[in-house]
Amino acid sequence: MLKAQFRALQVHTDFIPQHQEALFPKSELPDHVLCQAVLALVFNHRQGIKEITAKTSDPYTPFADGSGGRLNHKLTSVIMLNCGDNELVVEVTFDSIDEFTIGFGGRKYKATAIVEIRDNASELTCVLDGVTSKAKVVLQGQTVHVFTKDGSHELTIPTPEFMTASGGGTVLGGAVAPMPGIIEKIAVKPGDKVQVGDALVIMIAMKMEYVIRAHKEGIVEAIPYKPGDSVQKDAQLIKFVEDDSKEPEEEVKI
């Protein structure tokens, strides 16, 4: 009944926390579910880049699609996830715009995917080594909820060390650069209110694009850099202040 309500979006903002155990009973994480979660994150990353690009005057930049395409070699990205107390390290090689090789635990899968993203939910159809599966993946802050016909699973995205370092990654601190690089695009301006997961900045480092996202709610106070500027590791890219005007949260149907 609860899962039917969730799928039908008959929920409120505290629905998942109130029914955590019923919705996400502890069970071993199947390989195909981990692949589904990773693919959803890849496509959400692409969506974040498109959102930033849509706010700029250069929609034809090669960094606009986030496809992972590279000249003369294939891009491999590492995605970190936690499942309970288990730390999962997943390598994703971009074979083409919608074809991937996903590797973890000494195992590799060839994958293709079609993803439809609505708000923070992804309806995903993927083929892993010739086997088709479907899932609904919901991103809620740093948590990834995966719903399949066989049940539901919950994973978490660990907060990078550079986001928890002194002076960065909090509402009172801001967003910081994970490594030296160049600011490609900025998606916010002073005075903007940001929510958890909002795309803030695209920076280029080691010939790769990185989307820096908000890890907490707040208001943009200042932006010390502009597109084209070089920044050093741990440079504060966005300065935040708390949103004092925020009213207590009411139960809202979504």
Side-chain angles (χ1 to χ4, degrees), residues 31 35 76 90-93 95 100-111 128-129:
D31 283 3
C35 290
T76 296
V90 183
E91 291 189 348
V92 183
T93 300
D95 298 321
F100 311 88
T101 299
I102 302 176
F104 51 87
R107 304 181 294 282
K108 289 189 175 182
Y109 296 91
K110 290 290 185 180
L128 299 174
D129 286 350

Coordinates of all heavy atoms in Angstrom, one line a residue, residues 31 35 76 90-93 95 100-111 128-129:
D31 N 23.4 -6.5 -8.4 CA 24.2 -5.8 -9.3 C 23.4 -4.9 -10.2 O 23.8 -3.7 -10.5 CB 25.1 -6.8 -10.1 CG 26.2 -7.3 -9.4 OD1 26.4 -7.1 -8.2 OD2 27.0 -8.1 -10.0
C35 N 23.7 -0.8 -10.9 CA 23.9 -0.2 -12.3 C 22.7 0.8 -12.6 O 23.0 1.8 -13.2 CB 23.9 -1.3 -13.3 SG 25.3 -2.4 -13.3
T76 N 36.4 7.6 -18.6 CA 36.0 6.8 -17.5 C 35.8 7.6 -16.2 O 36.7 8.3 -15.8 CB 37.0 5.6 -17.2 OG1 37.0 4.8 -18.3 CG2 36.5 4.8 -16.0
V90 N 32.4 2.5 -8.2 CA 31.9 2.1 -9.5 C 32.6 2.9 -10.6 O 32.7 4.1 -10.5 CB 30.4 2.3 -9.7 CG1 29.9 1.7 -11.0 CG2 29.7 1.6 -8.5
E91 N 33.2 2.2 -11.6 CA 33.8 2.9 -12.8 C 32.8 2.8 -13.9 O 32.3 1.7 -14.2 CB 35.1 2.2 -13.1 CG 36.2 2.4 -12.1 CD 37.6 1.9 -12.7 OE1 37.6 1.2 -13.7 OE2 38.6 2.3 -12.0
V92 N 32.6 4.0 -14.5 CA 31.7 4.0 -15.7 C 32.5 4.6 -16.9 O 33.0 5.7 -16.9 CB 30.5 5.0 -15.4 CG1 29.5 5.0 -16.6 CG2 29.7 4.6 -14.2
T93 N 32.6 3.7 -17.9 CA 33.2 4.1 -19.2 C 32.2 4.5 -20.2 O 31.2 3.7 -20.4 CB 34.1 3.0 -19.7 OG1 35.1 2.7 -18.7 CG2 34.8 3.4 -21.0
D95 N 31.1 4.6 -23.6 CA 31.4 4.0 -24.9 C 30.8 4.8 -26.0 O 31.4 4.9 -27.1 CB 30.9 2.5 -24.9 CG 31.6 1.6 -23.9 OD1 32.8 1.8 -23.7 OD2 30.9 0.8 -23.3
F100 N 27.4 2.2 -22.2 CA 28.4 2.4 -21.1 C 28.9 1.0 -20.7 O 28.3 0.0 -21.0 CB 27.7 3.0 -19.8 CG 26.9 4.2 -20.1 CD1 25.6 4.1 -20.5 CD2 27.5 5.5 -20.0 CE1 24.8 5.3 -20.7 CE2 26.8 6.6 -20.2 CZ 25.4 6.5 -20.6
T101 N 30.1 1.0 -20.1 CA 30.7 -0.2 -19.5 C 30.7 0.2 -18.0 O 31.4 1.1 -17.6 CB 32.0 -0.6 -20.0 OG1 32.0 -0.9 -21.4 CG2 32.6 -1.8 -19.3
I102 N 30.1 -0.6 -17.1 CA 30.0 -0.3 -15.7 C 30.7 -1.5 -15.0 O 30.4 -2.6 -15.1 CB 28.5 -0.3 -15.2 CG1 27.8 0.8 -16.0 CG2 28.5 0.0 -13.7 CD1 26.3 0.9 -15.7
G103 N 31.7 -1.1 -14.2 CA 32.5 -2.0 -13.5 C 32.6 -1.8 -12.0 O 32.7 -0.7 -11.5
F104 N 32.5 -2.9 -11.2 CA 32.7 -2.8 -9.8 C 32.9 -4.3 -9.2 O 32.4 -5.2 -9.8 CB 31.5 -2.2 -9.1 CG 30.2 -2.8 -9.5 CD1 29.6 -3.9 -8.9 CD2 29.4 -2.3 -10.6 CE1 28.4 -4.5 -9.3 CE2 28.2 -2.8 -11.0 CZ 27.7 -3.9 -10.3
G105 N 33.7 -4.4 -8.2 CA 33.9 -5.7 -7.6 C 34.5 -6.7 -8.5 O 34.2 -7.9 -8.3
G106 N 35.3 -6.3 -9.5 CA 35.8 -7.3 -10.4 C 34.9 -7.7 -11.5 O 35.3 -8.5 -12.4
R107 N 33.7 -7.1 -11.5 CA 32.7 -7.5 -12.6 C 32.5 -6.3 -13.5 O 32.5 -5.2 -13.1 CB 31.4 -8.0 -11.9 CG 31.6 -9.1 -10.9 CD 30.3 -9.6 -10.3 NE 29.7 -8.6 -9.5 CZ 30.1 -8.3 -8.2 NH1 31.1 -9.0 -7.7 NH2 29.4 -7.4 -7.5
K108 N 32.1 -6.6 -14.7 CA 31.8 -5.5 -15.7 C 30.6 -5.9 -16.5 O 30.3 -7.1 -16.8 CB 33.0 -5.3 -16.7 CG 34.2 -4.7 -16.1 CD 35.2 -4.3 -17.1 CE 36.4 -3.6 -16.5 NZ 37.4 -3.2 -17.6
Y109 N 29.8 -4.8 -16.7 CA 28.5 -5.0 -17.5 C 28.5 -4.0 -18.6 O 28.8 -2.8 -18.5 CB 27.3 -4.8 -16.6 CG 27.2 -5.8 -15.5 CD1 27.8 -5.5 -14.2 CD2 26.5 -7.0 -15.7 CE1 27.6 -6.5 -13.2 CE2 26.4 -7.9 -14.6 CZ 26.9 -7.6 -13.4 OH 26.8 -8.5 -12.4
K110 N 28.0 -4.4 -19.8 CA 27.7 -3.5 -20.9 C 26.3 -3.0 -20.7 O 25.4 -3.9 -20.5 CB 27.9 -4.3 -22.2 CG 29.3 -4.6 -22.6 CD 30.1 -3.3 -23.0 CE 31.5 -3.7 -23.5 NZ 32.2 -2.4 -23.8
A111 N 26.1 -1.7 -20.8 CA 24.8 -1.2 -20.5 C 24.4 -0.1 -21.5 O 25.2 0.6 -22.0 CB 24.8 -0.5 -19.1
L128 N 21.3 -4.5 -19.5 CA 22.6 -4.9 -19.0 C 22.9 -6.3 -19.5 O 22.2 -7.3 -19.2 CB 22.5 -5.0 -17.4 CG 22.2 -3.7 -16.7 CD1 22.0 -3.9 -15.2 CD2 23.3 -2.6 -16.9
D129 N 24.0 -6.4 -20.3 CA 24.4 -7.6 -20.9 C 23.2 -8.3 -21.6 O 23.1 -9.6 -21.4 CB 25.1 -8.5 -19.9 CG 26.5 -8.0 -19.5 OD1 27.0 -7.1 -20.2 OD2 27.0 -8.6 -18.5

